[in-house]
Amino acid sequence: MRRTDLLSALALALVLAVPARPAAIPFPQAESDLKPDAALIFGTLPNGVRYIVMPNHEPKARVSLRLLVLAGSLDETQAQRGLAHYLEHMAFNGSTHFAPGTLVERLQRLGMGFGADTNAATSFDHTIYQLEMPDTSDATVSEGLQILDDYAGGLLLQQKMVDKERGIILSEKRTRDSVDYRTMLAQYEFMGAGTLIPERMPIGLQEVIEKADRSQFVDFWNTWYRPENMVVIVVGEVDPASVEARIRQDFAPLAPRAPEPRGPDLGKVAQFTGVRTSYHAEPEAPETDVVIAQNVPYSHEPDTAAIRVRYLPRFLAVAMLNRRLEILAKKENAPFIRASTSVDEWFDFERNSEISISCKPEQWTAALIVADNELRRALAFGFRPDEVKEQVANFRNELEQAVKTKATRRSPDLAGDIAESIVEKNVFTSPETDLAVYGPALDKVSAEDCRLALTAAWSSPGRYVFVAGNVKLPVEPQTIITNVYDRAQVQPIHPTAAALAGDWAYSNFGAAGGIEKRTHVDDLDLTQVTFANGVRLNLKRTPFEADTIHVAARFGSGQLTEPRDEPGLAIFARLTYTQGGLGRFSADDLERILAGKTVGVAFQQSTDAFTLSGSTSREDMLLELQLLAASLSDPGYRGEAMRTARKRINEAYISYEHTINGPLALQIQRLLVSGDPRFGLPQRDQMMARTLDEVKAWVGPQAASGPLEVSMCGDLDVDAAIAAASKTIGALPGRRPRPDLSAYLSVAFPSKPFTAEYGIESQIQKGLVAVYYPTTDGLDIRMQRRLNILAEVFSDRLRVKVREQMGSTYSPSVLSVASDVFPGYGYLAAYVEVDPKRAKEVQDVVVAVAADLQRNGAAPDELARALNPSLKHIDESARTNAYWMTVLGESQQKPEVLDWARTRRADTASISKADIDLLARRYLSAGSASRAIIRPYAAVGTGPMRSAPAPQATPPPDGM
């Protein structure tokens, strides 16, 4: 062969060996008549990498970065099941510019919290990496983009790091294992038989996780982390031209590392006539779930104005059917706890329509009949005009509020929404465009449009019926289910009766209240008012959320004065107070009357007060205050609230028997206060014995005439807010001063350390280690802040030792509880979820880590990595209404909270190694540690305890 021929042959071989440049994937707007939000800047690099940059100003001086990889667990081979998620973890374990074991610490030094500001998640069809950069300097933004570029093309994937991460992945798999997850998987396997979806759950298979080696990760990374599969998203206070230049610099060299793959074959959606049934037993479930569903094939439709308008009636129909189910669940003798319906398209592959209902096991047949009958009722008779009016008003209000609040959207939310729009192939339109598209359609939509849309969504002749949970069905359960379904099908159905809600009746509370005192706190720019009736009002105008006003009322004495012979009453009050509606209207009446308005109140109990809180708009501010005043002066105490609460309580206590958080609520919380019945949860029979009469007798007088301090913060006019308050809360009857509560302030940590072990009845091999160290109260705010930083240092040491080095847990945590109510009371608590067989070993490690911190103190770098994220959080939270509501909330009853706000940043920044070392020496002695282990009953040989539920209605993405 001549030399020139040889060179030609070599050149040809090189061309064949290097993958061809991929074709760029267009953005969704390329196939749509919809225009994207004008604030977004779109670009595509020659190699196919796409990017979106959006300048945005909330939060100030922060930037949200995302790398979206359009590959997930559906792209795995049979031998790779779980590697898409495992690979996401490996991105934090060494790359071109960040040596193994250095990235998390580097980000902490910058002021980024692990998990809060740096995270990732893997789903079926995509993986997303998230960075919340702590400032907007060129150096910081460039470093963030460099990290994302390393994820895309610079991973080391060393075998030793693969082995190191293996235990963490298995710990995460154990953490995610639950009754709900197993039930969801069984439903997927039943309804998705013949498709790839149930075979590719993101967490993967244990045997793959245990054996995967470097070559498998390299293969998946090279195959799917391709330029055309990647979208870089930057949202925040940035110069777009500078960011675009940096993206081009970092990502333009990225090239495919493998031939272009074929997309996964998702299989075929089964089409049939009649009914298919399945039963999945989960004896540890707190309820029985019944699902009626259908699946039909679905293929991609471009996101156009016409398509959006076409699906609007379906959206409204689903909302109306859900309201019907919500109302039915509250009826006396309703045979179910809750129910919902949905219609969704998945992966450009299938459309799923389903109605699901949860009930007691003995009620499953009645629940199935209700689900079928309500679906058939809606399909046959449609919806009433008043139902359509309610949902149209709510959706229109949502659209209009989105326009009004557009200017203060937050960058992390926007970055997530932009990424979702790419995954779903939807145009990221502005709120103005959304209103322009949907507004005219809402004017025209009819009840018949909604019925036809729902009928189209349920047009398949085949139905799946799935029964799962704690019901025990004998042999041939499919036949039993089929027979019940057939019986339901012949039940006669009739149209629903119209609902009469009446007109709003709480606009007059008497003569407007006079102002006894008005003060402006200049340095914090807040106003304090005292009305003649004794009601206190605190206000702060802020620019953080356009057309949004937060409102909260603190009243009474809260859990402090819960009657000792009525344990659980505070929690029962939370479950019933607002659910009972008002004297003149039920909760459902209120939803109808207030449809299209931005108002609402929720009831909470805290240690020393009750709270009614909500948010509103400038237009609806007076209505919100009227609702608040009515909730204080005329609560409804309806029986439907008690019925609903008891269903939830019963369901929760069944879960307590089988999940590891149960003993925390039922035994340990009370143990930590030496048996005080005001804390933790009572036994089920005691909680179920609580009544509305007890709530009315205890909370009612405090709501009607007890001390009341109301706070308002947001986009408000101070004078207008005071005028509205004077007509509502200022016009209420006079308030009593706060009583002397000193007799209620005695709470003590156990005088001697305890060691406790609790068993739960569960086949899920999941355990919990808890270690407690008594500290002190947080009445001295300087002490409270330093205890919080000590907890951060301790928590990060557990992350390094128990997660990174031992691979024994997924997410250890330490928190400081330093009471600002009970003198002398506080503790540090460390929680680690573990393999039950390793519980004692891990518990000893936790105590050893604390003891080492006590002996040797915190390293300067540890302190910096704890302090810097805390300082960044302080800076950011100071520009949120949520923070200022905590400052305002009791600022007249407890004026020192204003000084807490004044000193927060400077004092936190001054925390020294000596401060932390002193507290570690004082409190982290191994001899003061109280220890608890919770694990399945079979592993400990003791009687079962109860624990708290962790429901998962849909498969969450698996994260780092």
Side-chain angles (χ1 to χ4, degrees):
M1 182 180 288
R2 291 179 302 171
R3 183 172 182 273
T4 53
D5 292 337
L6 179 61
L7 289 175
S8 298
L10 287 172
L12 178 60
L14 258 165
V15 169
L16 293 175
V18 176
R21 176 176 292 174
I25 299 174
F27 288 103
Q29 57 265 29
E31 59 176 0
S32 175
D33 58 348
L34 295 166
K35 301 298 183 185
D37 192 317
L40 272 62
I41 298 163
F42 296 86
T44 303
L45 302 180
N47 60 0
V49 171
R50 291 178 287 170
Y51 64 84
I52 302 171
V53 180
M54 182 181 187
N56 192 62
H57 303 291
E58 288 295 342
K60 291 288 184 185
R62 295 295 295 262
V63 183
S64 296
L65 304 182
R66 303 290 186 269
L67 175 65
L68 173 64
V69 182
L70 295 173
S73 59
L74 288 174
D75 300 298
E76 297 166 346
T77 66
Q78 188 72 12
Q80 293 175 330
R81 294 174 65 179
L83 292 199
H85 167 244
Y86 202 151
L87 177 62
E88 167 228 302
H89 277 242
M90 291 305 302
F92 295 82
N93 281 286
S95 61
T96 302
H97 296 91
F98 300 93
T102 65
L103 179 58
V104 171
E105 286 76 5
R106 168 62 182 160
L107 296 175
Q108 288 174 325
R109 294 183 196 105
L110 286 175
M112 299 167 66
F114 179 64
D117 298 316
T118 170
N119 214 324
T122 303
S123 190
F124 287 98
D125 58 351
H126 68 276
T127 304
I128 188 163
Y129 297 91
Q130 309 165 44
L131 295 173
E132 300 298 331
M133 305 310 293
D135 62 69
T136 58
S137 69
D138 288 342
T140 298
V141 175
S142 294
E143 183 158 8
L145 289 171
Q146 180 68 78
I147 292 168
L148 298 187
D149 182 47
D150 271 15
Y151 295 162
L155 299 185
L156 300 181
L157 301 176
Q158 297 174 348
Q159 183 63 51
K160 66 178 181 180
M161 301 309 291
V162 169
D163 295 336
K164 189 274 298 182
E165 196 70 17
R166 206 180 306 276
I168 298 171
I169 303 292
L170 291 171
S171 293
E172 181 177 355
K173 182 174 174 61
R174 181 175 57 248
T175 295
R176 295 192 181 281
D177 191 11
S178 68
V179 163
D180 297 282
Y181 181 85
R182 294 180 179 194
T183 301
M184 176 188 66
L185 181 57
Q187 184 178 344
Y188 279 17
E189 290 172 342
F190 168 50
M191 293 172 49
T195 75
L196 196 62
I197 294 169
E199 302 297 321
R200 293 294 184 273
M201 301 303 288
I203 197 62
L205 297 182
Q206 179 125 350
E207 54 266 32
V208 173
I209 297 168
E210 290 176 337
K211 297 176 182 177
D213 63 23
R214 181 180 189 275
S215 64
Q216 293 171 284
F217 289 94
V218 172
D219 178 45
F220 187 89
W221 184 58
N222 285 343
T223 299
W224 294 106
Y225 278 51
R226 300 171 55 80
E228 72 274 23
N229 280 349
M230 297 185 182
V231 185
V232 180
I233 301 167
V234 180
V235 183
E237 286 202 315
V238 295
D239 171 47
S242 173
V243 169
E244 285 187 276
R246 180 69 202 208
I247 290 173
R248 286 192 294 270
Q249 175 185 323
D250 285 345
F251 288 88
L254 190 66
R257 297 179 297 273
E260 184 176 358
R262 295 180 61 183
D265 180 359
L266 299 187
K268 188 175 181 179
V269 178
Q271 295 298 281
F272 59 93
T273 299
V275 60
R276 294 181 178 179
T277 63
S278 180
Y279 165 62
H280 174 73
E282 283 290 346
E284 298 174 25
E287 77 282 305
T288 292
D289 295 319
V290 177
V291 178
I292 302 173
Q294 69 161 48
N295 283 347
V296 296
Y298 171 80
S299 57
H300 170 67
E301 298 171 284
D303 180 22
T304 65
I307 292 291
R308 289 190 182 188
V309 170
R310 192 213 302 172
Y311 285 123
L312 174 62
R314 190 184 80 182
F315 169 82
L316 297 173
V318 168
M320 287 185 281
L321 185 49
N322 274 319
R323 275 286 285 132
R324 286 185 180 181
L325 294 168
E326 178 188 3
I327 293 168
L328 282 173
K330 301 174 187 176
K331 299 291 186 184
E332 192 167 4
N333 300 319
F336 63 99
I337 302 165
R338 62 186 172 276
S340 65
T341 186
S342 61
V343 181
D344 297 295
E345 284 80 29
W346 292 359
F347 316 122
D348 292 336
F349 174 64
E350 70 177 7
R351 174 178 290 133
N352 169 261
S353 305
E354 74 173 48
I355 182 168
S356 61
I357 197 160
S358 298
C359 60
K360 295 179 180 179
E362 64 272 17
Q363 295 177 320
W364 79 270
T365 57
L368 175 53
I369 291 171
V370 168
D372 171 78
N373 287 186
E374 288 308 310
L375 177 59
R376 287 196 296 122
R377 192 188 322 278
L379 294 172
F381 301 109
F383 303 95
R384 305 185 310 270
D386 61 289
E387 293 177 298
V388 178
K389 181 181 178 181
E390 178 182 340
Q391 296 308 322
V392 164
N394 286 334
F395 189 41
R396 189 188 302 280
N397 183 59
E398 183 181 327
L399 293 167
E400 292 172 348
Q401 283 303 114
V403 173
K404 294 175 182 177
T405 60
K406 172 185 173 181
T408 52
R409 293 177 293 181
R410 295 180 67 79
S411 297
D413 299 331
L414 286 166
D417 291 343
I418 292 168
E420 182 181 0
S421 74
I422 296 297
V423 172
E424 299 296 332
K425 302 184 180 70
N426 291 331
V427 182
F428 189 86
T429 46
S430 69
E432 292 87 350
T433 296
D434 294 340
L435 182 58
V437 169
Y438 288 118
L442 287 169
D443 291 334
K444 300 174 183 177
V445 69
S446 69
E448 180 63 6
D449 293 334
C450 296
R451 187 191 71 81
L452 291 173
L454 191 68
T455 300
W458 284 90
S459 59
S460 171
R463 293 284 188 271
Y464 292 100
V465 181
F466 179 68
V467 177
N470 58 0
V471 63
K472 295 180 181 179
L473 296 184
V475 294
E476 299 185 0
Q478 285 85 354
T479 301
I480 295 172
I481 297 168
T482 301
N483 289 339
V484 174
Y485 181 72
D486 289 343
R487 202 163 77 235
Q489 289 278 289
V490 298
Q491 292 267 333
I493 54 171
H494 307 282
T496 59
L500 302 175
D503 297 321
W504 181 240
Y506 292 95
S507 55
N508 186 359
F509 294 89
I515 295 175
E516 195 171 85
K517 182 180 179 182
R518 176 172 174 169
T519 305
H520 186 261
V521 181
D522 294 339
D523 63 327
L524 298 178
D525 190 23
L526 56 90
T527 300
Q528 297 180 322
V529 173
T530 302
F531 289 106
N533 64 353
V535 173
R536 294 163 167 172
L537 176 66
N538 308 308
L539 308 107
K540 183 175 176 64
R541 182 175 185 175
T542 69
F544 311 141
E545 296 175 83
D547 199 42
T548 301
I549 301 168
H550 296 259
V551 181
R554 278 176 55 91
F555 68 93
S557 54
Q559 213 158 346
L560 272 178
T561 60
E562 179 184 83
R564 298 267 173 160
D565 59 348
E566 297 174 2
L569 185 57
I571 294 170
F572 191 75
R574 173 170 57 82
L575 294 173
T576 58
Y577 190 87
T578 54
Q579 286 79 0
L582 300 174
R584 301 188 191 183
F585 304 115
S586 70
D588 291 315
D589 290 337
L590 289 173
E591 285 210 40
R592 283 187 286 269
I593 294 170
L594 301 176
K597 303 296 184 181
T598 307
V599 294
V601 293
F603 180 93
Q604 287 287 339
Q605 84 280 0
S606 64
T607 303
D608 62 342
F610 302 109
T611 305
L612 284 166
S613 61
S615 62
T616 187
S617 63
R618 291 170 69 99
E619 181 181 355
D620 292 329
M621 178 180 67
L622 176 59
L623 180 60
E624 172 71 14
L625 287 170
Q626 290 172 348
L627 178 61
L628 176 64
S631 299
L632 289 163
S633 61
D634 192 26
Y637 303 114
R638 282 178 174 75
E640 64 195 41
M642 184 171 69
R643 290 192 293 270
T644 301
R646 285 181 172 171
K647 288 177 182 179
R648 293 179 60 187
I649 290 165
N650 185 66
E651 186 181 33
Y653 274 81
I654 294 172
S655 268
Y656 295 164
E657 297 172 0
H658 305 295
T659 50
I660 57 176
N661 289 333
L664 289 177
L666 285 161
Q667 279 83 26
I668 296 177
Q669 283 302 309
R670 194 160 289 180
L671 183 59
L672 295 175
V673 290
S674 301
D676 192 315
R678 294 174 294 177
F679 294 82
L681 291 175
Q683 294 304 308
R684 175 164 39 181
D685 58 345
Q686 294 176 305
M687 180 63 87
M688 292 291 279
R690 302 284 67 83
T691 67
L692 291 177
D693 286 341
E694 293 172 341
V695 175
K696 186 175 183 178
W698 179 46
V699 181
Q702 299 183 67
S705 58
L708 174 63
E709 187 162 356
V710 178
S711 299
M712 302 176 67
C713 180
D715 188 10
L716 56 82
D717 177 277
V718 172
D719 290 334
I722 293 173
S726 70
K727 299 173 186 175
T728 51
I729 56 172
L732 293 174
R735 317 300 291 192
R736 299 189 309 270
R738 190 170 179 84
D740 180 9
L741 298 173
S742 56
Y744 298 95
L745 297 180
S746 177
V747 166
F749 198 86
S751 58
K752 295 182 179 179
F754 62 82
T755 298
E757 188 157 343
Y758 300 90
I760 56 171
E761 291 182 307
S762 179
Q763 295 302 310
I764 296 174
Q765 292 303 298
K766 190 184 299 187
L768 183 72
V769 164
V771 181
Y772 302 93
Y773 295 87
T775 56
T776 189
D777 62 62
L779 294 167
D780 176 354
I781 194 64
R782 296 182 74 258
M783 174 64 75
Q784 186 178 124
R785 291 166 180 156
R786 281 150 182 78
L787 285 169
N788 286 337
I789 296 300
L790 174 62
E792 291 291 334
V793 173
F794 188 4
S795 182
D796 198 56
R797 282 206 179 181
L798 292 183
R799 176 188 66 82
V800 173
K801 180 64 178 178
V802 186
R803 174 183 159 123
E804 302 296 340
Q805 295 179 11
M806 297 174 64
S808 294
T809 192
Y810 174 54
S811 184
S813 63
V814 178
L815 66 138
S816 171
V817 176
S819 176
D820 61 358
V821 174
F822 298 107
Y825 187 78
Y827 58 87
L828 284 171
Y831 298 106
V832 186
E833 196 168 296
V834 295
D835 180 339
K837 295 187 288 293
R838 300 190 68 183
K840 184 61 170 65
E841 173 195 359
V842 171
Q843 187 180 71
D844 290 343
V845 169
V846 172
V847 174
V849 167
D852 180 71
L853 185 54
Q854 184 203 30
R855 286 191 304 271
N856 301 311
D861 184 58
E862 282 183 306
L863 179 59
R865 291 189 289 107
L867 270 177
N868 291 348
S870 296
L871 292 171
K872 290 297 180 182
H873 170 73
I874 287 172
D875 293 340
E876 185 172 336
S877 67
R879 289 189 52 80
T880 64
N881 289 322
Y883 166 70
W884 284 106
M885 287 296 286
T886 67
V887 175
L888 294 173
E890 51 182 334
S891 59
Q892 292 192 56
Q893 175 193 321
K894 198 173 180 177
E896 60 266 33
V897 300
L898 299 181
D899 285 331
W900 295 0
R902 293 181 178 105
T903 63
R904 187 169 69 133
R905 196 190 197 287
D907 183 45
T908 302
S910 75
I911 294 174
S912 66
K913 172 176 162 53
D915 292 336
I916 300 305
D917 291 352
L918 175 64
L919 294 179
R921 286 195 300 272
R922 181 179 298 169
Y923 295 122
L924 293 184
S925 164
S928 67
S930 290
R931 314 178 187 206
I933 290 175
I934 306 166
R935 50 186 168 184
Y937 172 64
V940 296
T942 60
M945 297 297 178
R946 295 173 173 155
S947 97
Q952 292 179 341
T954 57
D958 293 309
M960 62 169 275

